[in-house]
Amino acid sequence: MTKRFDGTRDLRRAVDRLARRLPEPLEDLAWISYNYLWSWTPGGVELFTTIDDHRFKLAGENPVRFLLNLPERDLLRAATDETYLELLHHVAQRMEADLARPTTRVLPSGPVAFFCAEFAVHQSLPVYSGGLGVLAGDYLKETSDQALDVVGVGLLYRRGYLHQRMDLSGWQHEYWVEANTGQLPIVRVRGGDGLPVKVKVPVWDSELSAQVWRVNVGRTTLFLLDTELKENTPLERWVTSRLYEGSHDIRLAQYALLGIGGVRALDAMGIHPGLFHMNEGHPALASLEIASQTAAELSGERPALTALLAQGRDRFAFTTHTPVPAGNETYSSDEFFRVLGHSIDEMGIAREELAALTRIDEGSTSEPMGFSPLAIKCSRSTNAVSRRHGEVARGMWNPLFPERSESDVPITYVTNGVHLPTWMNPTMRGLLSKVLGHDWERHADDPSLWSHVDEISDIDLWNARCQMRVALVEMIRDRIVVDRLARGEDVDLAVSGLEAFDPMNLTVGFARRLATYKRLDLLFRDVNRLRDIVDHDQGAQFIIAGKAHPLDNEAKTVAKNMFSVQRSMDLPNRVIFLEDYDMRVAPALVSGCDVWLNLPRPPMEASGTSGMKAAMNGGLNLSVLDGWWSEGYNGQNGWAIDGTTLDDPQAQDERDANALYDLLENEVKPMFFSRDSNGIPVVWLSRIRASLRSLAPMYSSARMLEDYTNRIYRPHPEK
Ligand SMILES: *Cc1c(COP(=O)(O)O)cnc(C)c1O
């Protein structure tokens, strides 16, 4: 066995360094802080919030930064507090036991390496933008829970994704905040010589150097590549500055670093994966690196690239997340080779041969180059992320398999799921523990377990729902005043936000990327009907949140229109926009809303996951039958809007908006406000039980990961 330099030693050093700053009884906090397992272990968050809730928030909920900046007296107080020490002992023991379990190998040939452009592990590690990242973060946590040998590979964007500020007109402005890597719960990986492990990838006319950071996500390790090095030019350092950079040049450099650099980094650390799982097309160039390694091992004449890729195919699986051709990024061959020509040449790959593999029509010279066709061609398995998305993807990629009929296109699906311990509110977890039994989370994907939700009493379930709604309303009141003051609203209007929302009214949430296909504008299509839905003592109230990509002016315009409709309605505290949607606010939203809206233009929602999070918390989905909802909806567990498509998008929007208003007026509101003599909405609660029973076991990451291991990772998956 060659010795591994994978950051284990570096992590131990960092933990020791932090431990030395802590009073002896608190030493366990050091290693706990360097493993994100705390964030989903019961009691983990309280370890920090009970010392100083406010300071923990100011530290971005990053425990390392929090502890490094905490006044000595607070540490000493905790170190002599018996109750606190008991909690610490309890959490430490639970985490230790989890980490001590034996690992299960997925494949005999080596670990699964999961490559993704973004990971949403926790709000304190801002290397994510939205759904794809949350899925990747949830996936890593689940691999830890199931004790599988998986490593994650991504990029450390020092400025992460954009922060959002709206101006008075409702126009979005962006700003970025640079992370201080010295205070993040991550460590630089060093080799046997004590120097940072580095990899090189030729980009533009020179060579990009990158170092590697290690993050512990429970038992699973995530490696992040970073170009912030002295030997790099300012342009090269910018490569890992921001996620989903608008510039094509920068993106291509990022994807080369992720795909090619990621494989080289694993090699340099002595990690030899049995399988590379490319989550979305961004890391597809990894296949080229493996092909050129294969070529280097062969003697004699070098085989063609297709032959080399065919040899490596058994080591690649690809998950596509994009149901529309436009969502699959493509580049002109000029752009592509201007940035990556050197890399390709250095790997001994003929440029035309590669270009053909990135095209649907391999004979074309004008078709732009795409990562998805390459990823499909070099993987032994391709999967979409919901049943409906599978159908759409087979249609979309049929031209890659001209000899096959659409239903025979070799693209299967694994529907997304969410990590229940991350997304289920502690109130809900506590309630369920009473009826599902001890340690139920370990077999949360067992449908028979969930029949026990019928044993929860009406009053307990209703109380839990109210408690989560009240917590959401408190958060909204806190933030809305500041949001309004910051964008220069009238002080009176800003302060009136303290009365925003009635904690007992029907609370409807819509929070997701502001992309036009998500059709937030449907809600604002008929102001009179919307007004009628909200303007009552027993009315609905809407909380809306989401960011637009900086270059997406169309989406920004939707947000701006929403602001002006909202102003014209003159009901500023009934329909509220919460700025800067991210993982800090998402948990309160998905747990506190009674109804979770999703209005995608079908079939453009590959899966969607926020509705799954709402369902886990007893929220009810009202969604277009697209993505996951077209398989999740069963007639009793929420509400559905027709998912068929019309040729005329205007007519479709009209039809779907009317369906939305009809449902809210005629079904959702009356059911929510229909109460028994104790004030309890019994029919509503039975719908929540139906939702939990049918959705919680199916749409957990536990089920998703089992699908991946059984059907995708283990050789010869069925179609
Ligand atoms: C879950 C989540 C998403 C994904 O939501 P969709 O329903 O897939 O659009 C995006 N952003 C954050 C912060 C999330 O928590």
Side-chain angles (χ1 to χ4, degrees):
M1 267 290 282
T2 49
K3 200 161 163 61
R4 268 195 184 192
F5 289 96
D6 60 359
T8 314
R9 217 179 33 155
D10 310 295
L11 201 75
R12 208 158 42 229
R13 284 213 190 109
V15 167
D16 287 347
R17 218 165 27 241
L18 180 58
R20 279 199 295 277
R21 302 176 59 111
L22 301 173
E24 199 259 1
L26 300 185
E27 266 179 8
D28 279 337
L29 276 181
W31 69 265
I32 290 174
S33 298
Y34 274 97
N35 192 328
Y36 276 112
L37 181 56
W38 66 264
S39 70
W40 76 94
T41 299
V45 177
E46 289 73 20
L47 279 184
F48 308 104
T49 55
T50 52
I51 297 182
D52 190 332
D53 190 22
H54 183 62
R55 273 178 189 272
F56 189 53
K57 284 219 174 63
L58 284 180
E61 296 169 67
N62 164 1
V64 172
R65 184 170 156 200
F66 172 68
L67 292 175
L68 286 174
N69 294 292
L70 202 62
E72 177 108 25
R73 71 183 139 76
D74 291 334
L75 287 171
L76 290 173
R77 186 166 39 80
T80 52
D81 176 345
E82 282 308 318
T83 321
Y84 182 81
L85 293 178
E86 215 168 286
L87 174 70
L88 175 56
H89 178 68
H90 179 76
V91 175
Q93 240 182 357
R94 202 169 160 139
M95 283 176 62
E96 250 162 354
D98 189 88
L99 298 171
R101 289 177 299 148
T103 303
T104 305
R105 304 210 98 181
V106 182
L107 297 167
S109 48
V112 172
F114 185 84
F115 279 57
C116 190
E118 50 167 319
F119 286 91
V121 173
H122 189 257
Q123 48 271 35
S124 60
L125 188 64
V127 294
Y128 70 93
S129 100
L132 183 70
V134 173
L135 183 83
D138 281 6
Y139 165 93
L140 290 187
K141 291 173 189 172
E142 188 63 43
T143 61
S144 171
D145 289 351
Q146 295 190 23
L148 300 180
D149 59 339
V150 172
V151 297
V153 177
L155 301 180
L156 181 74
Y157 309 94
R158 287 171 174 257
R159 291 173 185 81
Y161 195 58
L162 69 95
H163 288 280
Q164 175 189 56
R165 209 17 115 195
M166 311 303 270
D167 67 20
L168 272 177
S169 76
W171 191 254
Q172 172 183 298
H173 299 259
E174 301 91 24
Y175 63 97
W176 283 261
V177 178
E178 185 166 0
N180 176 355
T181 45
Q183 297 198 343
L184 284 173
I186 64 179
V187 293
R188 203 188 316 257
V189 178
R190 289 171 191 277
D193 53 5
L195 296 173
V197 166
K198 284 186 191 167
V199 293
K200 291 190 187 303
V201 179
V203 169
W204 293 294
D205 290 326
S206 64
E207 211 161 39
L208 195 62
S209 280
Q211 54 186 346
V212 186
W213 297 83
R214 175 184 172 128
V215 190
N216 276 4
V217 185
R219 310 164 47 93
T220 299
T221 303
L222 169 61
F223 295 107
L224 299 173
L225 278 70
D226 165 33
T227 61
E228 184 67 40
L229 288 170
K230 274 200 209 68
E231 60 257 45
N232 285 329
T233 65
L235 170 64
E236 290 165 342
R237 278 183 234 148
W238 190 258
V239 169
T240 52
S241 184
R242 306 199 301 206
L243 176 57
Y244 299 137
E245 189 63 79
S247 144
H248 277 194
D249 269 53
I250 301 287
R251 281 204 189 202
L252 284 167
Q254 290 179 335
Y255 302 153
L257 183 64
L258 176 62
I260 302 168
V263 174
R264 292 180 183 172
L266 291 177
D267 269 345
M269 293 184 290
I271 299 170
H272 304 291
L275 182 84
F276 296 91
H277 182 171
M278 302 184 286
N279 195 41
E280 193 54 311
H282 312 124
L285 300 176
S287 60
L288 303 183
E289 173 65 12
I290 295 298
S292 83
Q293 287 181 6
T294 308
E297 285 157 16
L298 298 174
S299 52
E301 202 174 323
R302 186 185 165 108
L305 180 59
T306 25
L308 289 169
L309 289 176
Q311 282 195 41
R313 264 184 102 230
D314 238 21
R315 292 179 73 194
F316 285 91
F318 171 48
T319 299
T320 171
H321 291 261
T322 319
V324 280
N328 292 277
E329 286 170 39
T330 56
Y331 301 88
S332 75
S333 55
D334 280 353
E335 280 176 330
F336 190 95
F337 290 115
R338 184 173 68 231
V339 183
L340 301 179
H342 277 74
S343 259
I344 305 305
D345 298 346
E346 185 214 55
M347 290 188 281
I349 293 166
R351 293 187 180 194
E352 316 75 65
E353 212 183 350
L354 170 63
L357 286 166
T358 62
R359 292 183 171 127
I360 296 170
D361 174 6
E362 297 200 352
S364 163
T365 50
S366 57
E367 187 185 314
M369 296 172 66
F371 287 89
S372 297
L374 176 65
I376 292 172
K377 291 176 199 176
C378 68
S379 300
R380 70 162 154 80
S381 154
T382 296
N383 73 278
V385 290
S386 72
R387 187 175 63 201
R388 182 163 191 191
H389 180 216
E391 291 160 14
V392 173
R394 283 191 289 277
M396 189 164 98
W397 297 114
N398 201 164
L400 283 178
F401 306 90
E403 74 290 359
R404 293 184 184 232
S405 68
E406 187 171 312
S407 60
D408 267 344
V409 170
I411 298 180
T412 181
Y413 73 93
V414 171
T415 305
N416 286 343
V418 297
H419 187 241
L420 196 143
T422 295
W423 293 106
M424 189 180 276
N425 187 288
T427 303
M428 200 67 192
R429 260 172 114 168
L431 179 65
L432 287 169
S433 295
K434 287 191 201 159
V435 295
L436 301 188
H438 176 67
D439 231 21
W440 61 273
E441 280 126 337
R442 289 258 177 255
H443 43 113
D445 56 334
D446 173 4
S448 67
L449 178 76
W450 291 88
S451 60
H452 294 291
V453 297
D454 291 346
E455 295 157 24
I456 307 174
S457 73
D458 284 347
I459 184 78
D460 284 352
L461 184 54
W462 183 236
N463 280 344
R465 288 296 317 152
C466 290
Q467 205 177 317
M468 291 186 277
R469 188 184 324 100
V470 167
L472 170 63
V473 170
E474 277 170 13
M475 183 198 78
I476 290 172
R477 289 178 174 176
D478 242 28
R479 296 216 10 170
I480 202 70
V481 177
V482 175
D483 279 1
R484 287 175 178 174
L485 289 171
R487 66 174 169 259
E489 298 274 14
D490 220 50
V491 170
D492 284 347
L493 176 74
V495 173
S496 80
L498 285 175
E499 273 123 54
F501 279 18
D502 180 333
M504 292 311 286
N505 268 359
L506 173 66
T507 304
V508 184
F510 181 103
R512 48 180 44 84
R513 247 174 339 117
L514 284 182
T516 36
Y517 83 85
K518 303 267 192 182
R519 291 197 299 178
L520 170 61
D521 48 330
L522 287 197
L523 184 59
F524 295 93
R525 219 178 148 84
D526 186 333
V527 188
N528 291 328
R529 285 189 85 175
L530 178 59
R531 171 189 290 282
D532 209 44
I533 289 165
V534 299
D535 194 11
H536 287 281
D537 284 343
Q538 293 195 333
Q541 46 200 8
F542 290 84
I543 172 91
I544 295 155
K547 296 172 181 173
H549 187 274
L551 298 182
D552 190 350
N553 283 333
E554 219 181 319
K556 289 186 179 181
T557 306
V558 170
K560 191 174 147 118
N561 292 341
M562 168 188 71
F563 264 61
S564 55
V565 172
Q566 202 188 356
R567 248 183 241 285
S568 74
M569 281 173 47
D570 204 26
L571 288 165
N573 294 327
R574 284 296 187 140
V575 181
I576 279 179
F577 184 81
L578 193 67
E579 290 184 10
D580 209 26
Y581 177 53
D582 65 8
M583 271 184 100
R584 283 171 307 166
V585 294
L589 288 174
V590 296
S591 59
C593 288
D594 300 294
V595 172
W596 197 254
L597 275 189
N598 196 11
L599 307 167
R601 177 182 303 288
M604 292 169 87
E605 185 76 307
S607 168
T609 52
S610 56
M612 302 172 184
K613 301 169 194 164
M616 307 269 162
N617 287 295
L620 293 173
N621 280 274
L622 192 179
S623 170
V624 171
L625 286 173
D626 194 18
W628 80 284
W629 194 232
S630 71
E631 69 200 78
Y633 177 64
N634 69 6
Q636 274 114 51
N637 54 3
W639 293 274
I641 295 173
D642 190 350
T644 57
T645 54
L646 295 180
D647 287 337
D648 174 4
Q650 280 296 326
Q652 170 145 14
D653 286 356
E654 183 71 18
R655 180 196 75 181
D656 296 349
N658 282 329
L660 169 66
Y661 293 129
D662 288 347
L663 281 172
L664 287 170
E665 282 167 8
N666 305 330
E667 296 197 36
V668 180
K669 264 179 73 176
M671 191 188 292
F672 185 82
F673 287 109
S674 138
R675 306 291 165 95
D676 72 0
S677 55
N678 297 315
I680 291 178
V682 281
V683 182
W684 187 270
L685 294 180
S686 67
R687 198 158 278 227
I688 292 180
R689 290 194 188 88
S691 166
L692 281 169
R693 263 198 320 265
S694 57
L695 303 176
M698 274 309 287
Y699 299 98
S700 67
S701 52
R703 191 273 309 146
M704 172 178 77
L705 186 58
E706 260 149 48
D707 280 352
Y708 274 113
T709 26
N710 296 332
R711 296 177 37 223
I712 307 291
Y713 297 160
R714 305 245 155 90
H716 313 300
E718 91 265 30
K719 197 203 96 173

